Amino acid sequence: MTGIDDAGTGDQLVDGMNLSVRLRRDFTVTDAGRLLTAARRMYRELNPGTTTNDAEAMVSCAADALYVVLDHAGLIGDAADDRLTAYRGDGLDLGGWRAEVVANDPWPLSPGPLSNCVTGAEDVFALPPDESAHRTMQARASLTAGPGA
């Protein structure tokens, strides 16, 4: 895969450049109680010596459960960092990471064959618009434009 800028040329790979990968993967909870129980079990596997009470305290919401599942699967956390650190000798140094869980996104990605395609100006990372923020922006725009604009 090659990144193409607006001029149609590829991004040049140079020492010191920072590369960010923004991935999105949507999930549907089909059994919340079962998922929470499994995530707490996985938390204890990932953190030997923790108690059931520790796991209940640390895994108490949707985001906690999802992070633990992703960590257990080796997609985030120490296991992923260990695998990526192996590329240091190939000229790629590991940076930090950031993640956000968005619950009840009104436009979730589907598992269909073209669900991962981005078309036009669509931004799969954009959160749904906040109506109050939208009204505030409209009010500011009308004040800036002045009367009769």
Side-chain angles (χ1 to χ4, degrees):
M1 296 171 58
T2 304
I4 305 295
D5 61 22
D6 291 335
T9 61
D11 296 326
Q12 296 298 312
L13 187 61
V14 297
D15 291 347
M17 78 184 307
N18 292 314
L19 302 172
S20 294
V21 176
R22 291 183 173 98
L23 303 173
R24 177 172 167 181
R25 182 71 190 246
D26 290 1
F27 299 88
T28 301
V29 176
T30 58
D31 188 332
R34 189 172 177 181
L35 176 61
L36 191 58
T37 299
R40 289 173 175 163
R41 177 187 42 79
M42 291 175 210
Y43 180 85
R44 292 190 67 201
E45 289 174 16
L46 291 166
N47 301 281
T50 57
T51 67
T52 301
N53 289 339
D54 293 336
E56 287 177 5
M58 295 303 295
V59 183
S60 62
C61 67
D64 295 343
L66 185 55
Y67 285 127
V68 169
V69 169
L70 294 174
D71 190 6
H72 192 264
L75 299 173
I76 63 171
D78 293 340
D81 288 353
D82 290 346
R83 287 194 315 268
L84 291 169
T85 299
Y87 295 98
R88 177 177 266 159
D90 294 324
L92 187 65
D93 197 10
L94 185 61
W97 67 278
R98 179 180 299 183
E100 176 183 24
V101 173
V102 177
N104 298 316
D105 185 328
W107 303 290
L109 298 175
S110 67
L114 298 178
S115 68
N116 297 326
C117 296
V118 179
T119 58
E122 181 181 356
D123 181 0
V124 297
F125 297 103
L127 294 176
D130 178 6
E131 275 304 310
S132 63
H134 181 68
R135 285 191 297 272
T136 302
M137 288 179 2
Q138 285 179 322
R140 286 184 185 151
S142 65
L143 289 174
T144 305

